[in-house]
Amino acid sequence: MLGKIIVSLACAAAVTAAGAAPYIPASGAQVLERLPGGLDPARRQLQGLRTALAANPRNLDLATALAQRYIEQSRRDGDPRYLGYAEAALAPWWRQPEPPSSVLVLRATLRQSTHQFGPALADLDTVLKRDSGNAQAWLTRATVQLVTGDAAGARASCMRLYSRAPELVVQACLASVGSVSGQAAASYERLLQTFDSRAGSPAPLRAWVATLLGEMAARLGRPDATEAHFRAALALDPQDSYLLAAYADFLLERGRAPEVITLLKDKTQADALLLRQAIALKTAGRPDAARATAELAARFDAAMLRRDNVHQREQARFELAVRGDAAAAVRLAKLNWAVQKEPADLRILAQAALAGGDAEAQALVRAWLKKSRIEDASLAAIVARFGSAA
């Protein structure tokens, strides 16, 4: 999960990877979005910051505050447009040869979201040369390193958070690394103990850690604990799109597609959630599965026209679980694996490799299991079937 989430040490919010290019409307009269009536507090805060920045567009504090809020809103809604808005808010400093450190950290976050991992790390290294105590930069650096498969580097970055970040953040960072590098059970127990002892931590931070615990418990093959953690996280933050996707995956794996349909009703603006809904509808044999499938196909087609390759993992899963095209799925999964290496990336690679009988993809999975020592009960069951794939 750390590979998909950057936690703000100020408010413990996070980010979902997605395209972040600013959108320029054709005219000032073009309607970009119709917001629901009765804006919630988060949207009201966004509106206030937006108005203030429009009056003073070169105010660094306002710009970075607004960009951070856009990033947080993007994760909650699963809407990549907010990442483009964040970049636009930082436009006066974006292309400067030496932007302020606050801009560099946010730029690294946005670059990570579009898989520009090298430039993201370069931005963070610049910040840390200026200020080796910048906790947000270390946490963001750990995220980028983990998502690209550098567990040792991520662990070292997490260690730099000691005395610079809350203990729960430090342990969550370390557990994210340990849980995918041969220390799953110990990492889970240590994080759970810290979580229980920090009951007064901010709700966004507790929701993030509860989600992380749920994912760790799922890989350990502990379904009761997994469900308890996800439900606890939902009680704290019922609208978080990453959390909803993680819980939906758990329900789908347990054969509980109807619950996914209910869970994600009216929440399918995010591609990741529409994907889970389409899988659930197809699994349950619902007549509206075709509509969800067509809509999702159109979204992926539009992404390809934009040359947006950020969603190859989700597209691979779509091809495999919805369209039943194993060849397309394994091709996309291998392209995705060349870029990022989180547990979800490995799982779709293994599933596609099994379905398509792809020896190269199977070898990639086996090699990573040996190198990383990741422990995942569901993944192990898939790999155990590789020998009979033919």
Side-chain angles (χ1 to χ4, degrees):
M1 180 182 179
L2 188 65
K4 284 292 184 186
I5 301 174
I6 312 294
V7 175
S8 166
L9 298 180
C11 58
V15 180
T16 295
Y23 171 70
I24 302 174
S27 75
Q30 184 174 346
V31 176
L32 299 180
E33 182 177 12
R34 297 188 185 278
L35 298 176
L39 295 179
D40 64 29
R43 290 184 185 276
R44 282 199 298 270
Q45 184 186 27
L46 267 179
Q47 191 175 58
L49 286 169
R50 196 161 44 225
T51 300
L53 185 63
N56 191 1
R58 299 194 69 86
N59 184 307
L60 178 62
D61 291 340
L62 279 174
T64 54
L66 179 58
Q68 180 65 54
R69 285 295 300 114
Y70 275 139
I71 290 169
E72 293 160 11
Q73 198 67 39
S74 176
R75 176 178 184 269
R76 284 183 55 79
D77 294 355
D79 188 340
R81 291 176 298 176
Y82 285 109
L83 299 179
Y85 304 157
E87 181 176 331
L90 300 173
W93 304 273
W94 189 268
R95 298 188 186 282
Q96 288 183 356
E98 295 187 9
S101 293
S102 57
V103 172
L104 283 173
V105 172
L106 290 168
R107 190 170 74 177
T109 299
L110 292 167
R111 284 176 162 175
Q112 180 260 347
S113 76
T114 53
H115 294 181
Q116 299 177 66
F117 299 122
L121 287 172
D123 281 346
L124 296 168
D125 287 345
T126 298
V127 172
L128 292 168
K129 285 177 183 177
R130 297 175 183 172
D131 175 16
S132 63
N134 190 309
Q136 186 65 63
W138 283 116
L139 182 60
T140 308
R141 192 170 188 266
T143 296
V144 177
Q145 289 168 318
L146 190 57
V147 76
T148 54
D150 181 9
R155 184 178 292 106
S157 294
C158 291
M159 293 295 290
R160 299 299 293 266
L161 292 172
Y162 273 111
S163 77
R164 296 185 172 110
E167 179 66 15
L168 188 53
V169 172
V170 177
Q171 292 304 324
C173 187
L174 288 169
S176 296
V177 180
S179 69
V180 296
S181 56
Q183 303 169 26
S187 296
Y188 171 78
E189 296 297 341
R190 188 161 46 248
L191 181 58
L192 180 59
Q193 182 179 22
T194 307
F195 179 77
D196 289 341
S197 68
R198 300 296 191 279
S201 298
L205 175 57
R206 288 185 62 79
W208 169 55
V209 175
T211 305
L212 177 57
L213 286 166
E215 292 181 311
M216 294 169 69
R219 290 196 295 272
L220 286 167
R222 304 178 185 180
D224 292 344
T226 300
E227 181 138 24
H229 291 311
F230 282 148
R231 287 188 175 275
L234 284 167
L236 291 164
D237 194 352
Q239 301 302 319
D240 185 280
S241 62
Y242 183 94
L243 167 58
L244 288 166
Y247 186 42
D249 285 343
F250 169 75
L251 294 174
L252 287 169
E253 188 170 0
R254 306 295 293 177
R256 296 159 61 181
E259 293 178 58
V260 174
I261 296 170
T262 301
L263 177 72
L264 301 183
K265 183 181 179 182
D266 302 324
K267 294 184 176 72
T268 54
Q269 181 178 357
D271 293 352
L273 298 186
L274 179 58
L275 171 61
R276 273 77 175 176
Q277 186 78 320
I279 294 172
L281 289 167
K282 180 180 178 180
T283 301
R286 298 290 182 88
D288 46 348
R291 176 193 54 77
T293 298
E295 182 179 348
L296 195 53
R299 293 188 192 184
F300 284 133
D301 288 345
M304 286 191 289
L305 286 174
R306 298 192 305 268
R307 297 184 180 180
D308 177 359
N309 297 322
V310 171
H311 305 289
Q312 286 177 327
R313 179 173 73 198
E314 288 76 16
Q315 192 172 0
R317 188 171 175 188
F318 171 66
E319 294 292 350
L320 185 63
V322 180
R323 282 180 163 168
D325 189 339
V330 78
R331 177 181 60 81
L332 288 162
K334 285 193 286 189
L335 289 171
N336 174 68
W337 183 250
V339 178
Q340 59 179 22
K341 293 175 172 59
E342 293 187 283
D345 302 303
L346 186 61
R347 180 171 296 195
I348 186 56
L349 180 64
Q351 290 170 332
L354 176 63
D358 190 296
E360 180 186 32
Q362 291 180 15
L364 288 171
V365 173
R366 287 196 174 103
W368 190 254
L369 286 171
K370 182 178 181 180
K371 178 180 179 180
S372 68
R373 298 182 296 128
I374 185 173
E375 301 156 79
D376 186 324
S378 297
L379 181 62
I382 296 169
V383 174
R385 298 172 58 197
F386 277 178
S388 58

Coordinates of all heavy atoms in Angstrom, one line a residue, residues 254-285:
R254 N -13.2 -13.8 -1.9 CA -14.0 -14.6 -1.0 C -15.4 -15.0 -1.7 O -16.2 -15.7 -1.0 CB -14.3 -13.9 0.3 CG -13.1 -13.4 1.0 CD -12.1 -14.4 1.5 NE -12.7 -15.3 2.5 CZ -12.1 -16.3 3.1 NH1 -10.9 -16.7 2.6 NH2 -12.7 -17.0 4.0
G255 N -15.6 -14.7 -2.9 CA -16.8 -15.1 -3.6 C -18.0 -14.3 -3.2 O -19.2 -14.8 -3.2
R256 N -17.8 -13.0 -2.8 CA -18.9 -12.2 -2.3 C -19.2 -11.0 -3.2 O -19.3 -9.9 -2.8 CB -18.6 -11.7 -0.9 CG -18.4 -12.9 0.1 CD -17.6 -12.6 1.4 NE -18.2 -11.5 2.2 CZ -17.6 -11.0 3.3 NH1 -16.5 -11.6 3.7 NH2 -18.2 -10.1 4.0
A257 N -19.4 -11.4 -4.5 CA -19.6 -10.3 -5.5 C -20.8 -9.5 -5.2 O -20.8 -8.2 -5.4 CB -19.8 -11.0 -6.9
P258 N -22.0 -10.0 -4.7 CA -23.1 -9.1 -4.5 C -22.8 -8.0 -3.5 O -23.3 -6.9 -3.6 CB -24.2 -10.1 -3.9 CG -23.9 -11.4 -4.6 CD -22.3 -11.4 -4.6
E259 N -21.9 -8.3 -2.5 CA -21.6 -7.3 -1.5 C -20.7 -6.2 -2.2 O -20.8 -5.0 -1.8 CB -20.8 -7.9 -0.4 CG -21.6 -8.9 0.5 CD -20.8 -9.5 1.6 OE1 -20.2 -8.8 2.4 OE2 -20.8 -10.7 1.6
V260 N -19.9 -6.5 -3.2 CA -19.2 -5.6 -3.9 C -20.1 -4.6 -4.7 O -19.9 -3.4 -4.7 CB -18.2 -6.2 -4.8 CG1 -17.4 -5.2 -5.7 CG2 -17.2 -7.1 -4.0
I261 N -21.1 -5.2 -5.3 CA -22.1 -4.4 -6.0 C -22.7 -3.4 -5.1 O -22.9 -2.2 -5.5 CB -23.1 -5.3 -6.7 CG1 -22.4 -6.2 -7.7 CG2 -24.2 -4.5 -7.3 CD1 -23.3 -7.3 -8.3
T262 N -23.1 -3.8 -3.9 CA -23.7 -2.8 -3.0 C -22.7 -1.8 -2.5 O -22.9 -0.6 -2.4 CB -24.3 -3.6 -1.8 OG1 -25.3 -4.5 -2.3 CG2 -24.9 -2.7 -0.8
L263 N -21.5 -2.3 -2.2 CA -20.4 -1.4 -1.6 C -20.1 -0.3 -2.6 O -19.9 0.9 -2.1 CB -19.2 -2.3 -1.3 CG -17.9 -1.5 -0.9 CD1 -18.1 -1.0 0.6 CD2 -16.7 -2.4 -0.9
L264 N -20.0 -0.6 -3.9 CA -19.5 0.4 -4.9 C -20.6 1.1 -5.6 O -20.3 1.8 -6.5 CB -18.6 -0.3 -5.8 CG -17.4 -1.0 -5.2 CD1 -16.5 -1.6 -6.3 CD2 -16.6 0.0 -4.4
K265 N -21.9 0.9 -5.2 CA -23.0 1.6 -5.9 C -22.8 3.1 -5.8 O -22.5 3.6 -4.7 CB -24.3 1.2 -5.2 CG -25.5 1.8 -5.9 CD -26.8 1.4 -5.1 CE -28.0 2.0 -5.8 NZ -29.3 1.7 -5.0
D266 N -22.9 3.7 -6.9 CA -22.7 5.2 -7.0 C -21.3 5.7 -6.7 O -21.1 6.8 -6.3 CB -23.7 5.9 -6.1 CG -25.2 5.6 -6.4 OD1 -25.5 5.4 -7.6 OD2 -26.0 5.5 -5.5
K267 N -20.3 4.8 -6.7 CA -18.9 5.1 -6.4 C -18.0 4.8 -7.6 O -16.8 4.5 -7.4 CB -18.5 4.5 -5.2 CG -19.2 4.9 -3.9 CD -18.6 4.2 -2.7 CE -19.2 4.7 -1.4 NZ -20.6 4.2 -1.2
T268 N -18.5 4.7 -8.8 CA -17.7 4.2 -9.9 C -17.1 5.3 -10.8 O -16.7 5.0 -11.9 CB -18.5 3.2 -10.7 OG1 -19.8 3.8 -11.2 CG2 -18.9 2.0 -9.9
Q269 N -17.0 6.5 -10.3 CA -16.4 7.5 -11.1 C -14.9 7.2 -11.3 O -14.3 7.4 -12.3 CB -16.5 8.9 -10.4 CG -15.9 10.0 -11.2 CD -16.0 11.4 -10.5 OE1 -16.7 11.5 -9.5 NE2 -15.4 12.4 -11.1
A270 N -14.3 6.6 -10.2 CA -12.9 6.1 -10.3 C -12.8 4.9 -11.1 O -13.6 3.9 -10.9 CB -12.4 5.9 -8.9
D271 N -11.9 4.8 -12.0 CA -11.7 3.6 -12.9 C -11.5 2.4 -12.1 O -12.0 1.3 -12.4 CB -10.5 3.8 -13.8 CG -10.7 4.9 -14.9 OD1 -11.9 5.4 -14.9 OD2 -9.8 5.3 -15.6
A272 N -10.7 2.5 -11.0 CA -10.4 1.3 -10.2 C -11.6 0.7 -9.6 O -11.8 -0.5 -9.5 CB -9.4 1.6 -9.1
L273 N -12.6 1.6 -9.2 CA -13.8 1.1 -8.6 C -14.8 0.6 -9.6 O -15.5 -0.4 -9.4 CB -14.4 2.2 -7.7 CG -13.6 2.7 -6.6 CD1 -14.4 3.7 -5.7 CD2 -13.1 1.5 -5.7
L274 N -14.8 1.2 -10.8 CA -15.6 0.7 -11.9 C -15.2 -0.7 -12.3 O -16.0 -1.6 -12.6 CB -15.6 1.7 -13.1 CG -16.5 1.2 -14.3 CD1 -17.9 1.0 -13.9 CD2 -16.3 2.2 -15.4
L275 N -13.9 -0.9 -12.3 CA -13.3 -2.2 -12.6 C -13.8 -3.3 -11.7 O -14.3 -4.3 -12.1 CB -11.8 -2.2 -12.6 CG -11.0 -3.5 -12.7 CD1 -11.3 -4.2 -14.0 CD2 -9.5 -3.3 -12.5
R276 N -13.7 -3.0 -10.4 CA -14.2 -4.0 -9.4 C -15.7 -4.2 -9.6 O -16.2 -5.3 -9.4 CB -13.9 -3.5 -8.0 CG -12.6 -3.9 -7.4 CD -11.5 -3.0 -8.0 NE -10.2 -3.3 -7.3 CZ -9.1 -2.7 -7.7 NH1 -9.1 -1.8 -8.7 NH2 -7.9 -3.1 -7.2
Q277 N -16.5 -3.1 -9.8 CA -17.9 -3.3 -10.0 C -18.2 -4.1 -11.3 O -19.1 -5.0 -11.2 CB -18.5 -1.9 -10.2 CG -20.1 -1.9 -10.2 CD -20.7 -2.1 -8.9 OE1 -20.3 -2.9 -8.1 NE2 -21.8 -1.4 -8.6
A278 N -17.5 -3.9 -12.3 CA -17.7 -4.7 -13.6 C -17.4 -6.2 -13.3 O -18.1 -7.0 -13.8 CB -16.8 -4.2 -14.7
I279 N -16.3 -6.5 -12.6 CA -16.0 -7.9 -12.3 C -17.1 -8.5 -11.4 O -17.6 -9.6 -11.6 CB -14.7 -7.9 -11.5 CG1 -13.5 -7.5 -12.4 CG2 -14.4 -9.4 -11.0 CD1 -12.2 -7.4 -11.7
A280 N -17.6 -7.7 -10.4 CA -18.6 -8.2 -9.5 C -19.9 -8.5 -10.3 O -20.6 -9.5 -10.1 CB -18.9 -7.2 -8.4
L281 N -20.3 -7.5 -11.2 CA -21.5 -7.7 -12.0 C -21.4 -8.9 -12.9 O -22.4 -9.7 -13.0 CB -21.8 -6.4 -12.8 CG -22.2 -5.2 -12.0 CD1 -22.1 -3.9 -12.9 CD2 -23.6 -5.3 -11.5
K282 N -20.3 -9.1 -13.5 CA -20.1 -10.2 -14.4 C -20.2 -11.5 -13.6 O -20.8 -12.5 -14.0 CB -18.8 -10.2 -15.1 CG -18.6 -11.4 -16.1 CD -17.2 -11.3 -16.8 CE -17.0 -12.5 -17.7 NZ -15.8 -12.5 -18.4
T283 N -19.5 -11.6 -12.4 CA -19.5 -12.7 -11.6 C -20.9 -13.1 -11.1 O -21.2 -14.3 -11.0 CB -18.6 -12.5 -10.4 OG1 -17.2 -12.2 -10.8 CG2 -18.5 -13.7 -9.5
A284 N -21.7 -12.1 -10.8 CA -23.0 -12.3 -10.3 C -24.0 -12.5 -11.4 O -25.2 -12.8 -11.1 CB -23.4 -11.1 -9.4
G285 N -23.6 -12.4 -12.6 CA -24.5 -12.6 -13.7 C -25.6 -11.5 -13.9 O -26.7 -11.8 -14.3

